[in-house]
Amino acid sequence: SGSAFYGQAQAAQSFATAGTALEKFANLKGYSLSVGYNGSYVESVNGVGPDGNYVNGWNYCVMRQNTSGTWEIAADSLVIGAGEYKVKAGDVVYWVYAPYADVAQYNEAKCIELNS
């Protein structure tokens, strides 16, 4: 309880999610966090967002190491809301505020960075 996601219809209640990872980071930094759409959408972080034209928005992906130690984007994290996506120890949760059309290239660039 006390979480922006707690009690929201579209958010997990009993395990750590990509959304609660962002919330923990925001709390450590003293940033504000606004969540909407029943806990399935991050509207703003520290006053950034939402874009009134819905061109830009907060998006995330989870990156995990495979059995050979290479970082990969967890494909299911691209289609499951942050308030529902269960994270595991060692995951990297990457958030970006960008035009929706550019999110995939930012995600891929971060994955390449992790593997270099």
Side-chain angles (χ1 to χ4, degrees), residues 3 5 10-13 15-23 33 35-43 58-62 76-87 93-95:
S3 166
F5 295 93
Q10 299 297 318
Q13 304 301 309
F15 53 84
T17 67
T20 54
L22 173 63
E23 185 172 43
L33 178 65
V35 176
Y37 299 101
N38 294 316
S40 65
Y41 181 73
V42 172
E43 292 179 337
W58 284 102
N59 288 269
Y60 85 99
C61 73
V62 172
D76 52 347
S77 73
L78 300 174
V79 296
I80 297 174
E84 299 174 86
Y85 192 82
K86 187 174 186 175
V87 292
V93 181
Y94 177 65
W95 285 89

Side-chain angles (χ1 to χ4, degrees), residues 20-38:
T20 54
L22 173 63
E23 185 172 43
K24 185 171 184 168
F25 174 80
N27 288 340
L28 287 171
K29 294 290 191 178
Y31 295 166
S32 60
L33 178 65
S34 175
V35 176
Y37 299 101
N38 294 316

